[in-house]
Amino acid sequence: MRQWKGAWLPHRRVPGVLSFQRRFTPRPDDVLLASPPKCGTTWLKALSFATMARAAYPPGDGDHPLLRLNPHDCVPLVDSLFSAGQEAKLDALPSPRLMNTHVHHSLLPPSVAHDPGCKIVYVCREPKDMVVSLWHFYKSSKTTEGSTYTLSDLFENACQGKHSNGPIWDHILGYWQESQATPRRVLFLRYEEMLRDPVDSIREVARFLEVLFTVTEEAAGLPEDIMKLCSIETLRGARADKMGANKVFVKFPHTSFFRKGVAGDWVNHMTPEMAQRFDAIVEEKLHGPGLSF
Ligand code: A3P
């Protein structure tokens, strides 16, 4: 891990993040999905893609891209394209481009961070659930390095903010403050609220991106169709593995992106002492600015 401007990054990601920051050419109608890892990125990618591309790909279509590709293959992770020398793929995307990043708000290219045109949809979740989800994800890695990481190691690092794109409290705070300052540019979502009312979240994303559902689309049940298409069960069952389509995360099988999909699973993995310790750290960092989990 490397620390850069207060953020922890896996060292192999640093060149890509640097290039993203220095060489990214924005378009005024870009849409960037941002999140700490394991906080609902895959779900947000799926429902944003399904919402924005609904004219070309109706959600009820049995050959919808989300039924044959991993959502990460539908919405590119910007810095990974830079680190693979494939930024030309970003130029080839039709407008409005839909992309994603895990970097802190402070590490975004200045053009993206402050461009009045570019919209950012951010999702985060209860930090203890993020830690547990991250641990399961590492365990599902096809490499030995990932699968031997213990929860106790990960937890100790997370308490110091030292995890991929950590500290999570600074990550959340950066985007939250930006969403307060410029609510038309940054939409701040919580995974738990999306779970509580997924259809409402889909409408909220559509409203924010200015692709509102028409009366006819509402009457036809399009938001509900998108919700079903993007449900964890449907996405888990996509033919992505069989088609060998998941190119971005080659170390992880398609199904590792779709584990339980519930709130509060930390209780099955952390002791009360661990939970108290982590809560105290998060509360100290976020409570002052008025955020709580
Ligand atoms: P759990 O490990 O707690 O189950 P990310 O996409 O940022 O990597 O986040 C992964 C988390 O989102 C995992 O949480 C995963 O199960 C959950 N998830 C993935 N797709 C989902 C969906 N369609 N609906 C709800 N949760 C989903």
Side-chain angles (χ1 to χ4, degrees), residues 190-262:
R190 291 171 184 245
Y191 178 76
E192 295 76 15
E193 286 169 4
M194 290 170 63
L195 283 177
R196 254 195 304 278
D197 196 340
V199 176
D200 195 51
S201 301
I202 290 164
R203 289 200 185 98
E204 192 177 0
V205 169
R207 208 167 28 244
F208 176 76
L209 297 179
E210 297 172 50
V211 289
L212 277 171
F213 293 101
T214 63
V215 175
T216 319
E217 287 178 326
E218 283 285 353
L222 237 70
E224 287 78 8
D225 286 350
I226 291 177
M227 187 259 297
K228 282 181 212 141
L229 173 67
C230 300
S231 73
I232 192 163
E233 295 78 19
T234 308
L235 295 179
R236 187 189 287 125
R239 307 188 294 275
D241 261 353
K242 283 178 215 129
M243 316 266 301
N246 189 353
K247 301 173 205 86
V248 177
F249 296 95
V250 282
K251 288 195 296 187
F252 297 94
H254 169 75
T255 47
S256 66
F257 293 89
F258 313 99
R259 195 180 65 90
K260 277 193 170 177
V262 298

Side-chain angles (χ1 to χ4, degrees), residues 69-83:
L69 297 170
N70 184 293
H72 293 283
D73 290 319
C74 298
V75 181
L77 179 64
V78 189
D79 62 83
S80 78
L81 287 184
F82 275 101
S83 69

Side-chain angles (χ1 to χ4, degrees), residues 38-43 125 133 191 230 232 257 259-261:
K38 311 321 293 174
C39 287
T41 319
T42 318
W43 192 16
R125 82 190 293 191
S133 183
Y191 178 76
C230 300
I232 192 163
F257 293 89
R259 195 180 65 90
K260 277 193 170 177

Side-chain angles (χ1 to χ4, degrees), residues 141-175:
S141 163
K142 292 176 190 164
T143 68
T144 343
E145 183 200 348
S147 56
T148 52
Y149 207 15
T150 66
L151 178 60
S152 146
D153 286 343
L154 179 59
F155 178 78
E156 286 305 324
N157 284 334
C159 285
Q160 298 163 44
K162 196 175 170 186
H163 55 89
S164 179
N165 295 274
I168 187 163
W169 42 86
D170 287 344
H171 203 294
I172 295 173
L173 210 51
Y175 285 94

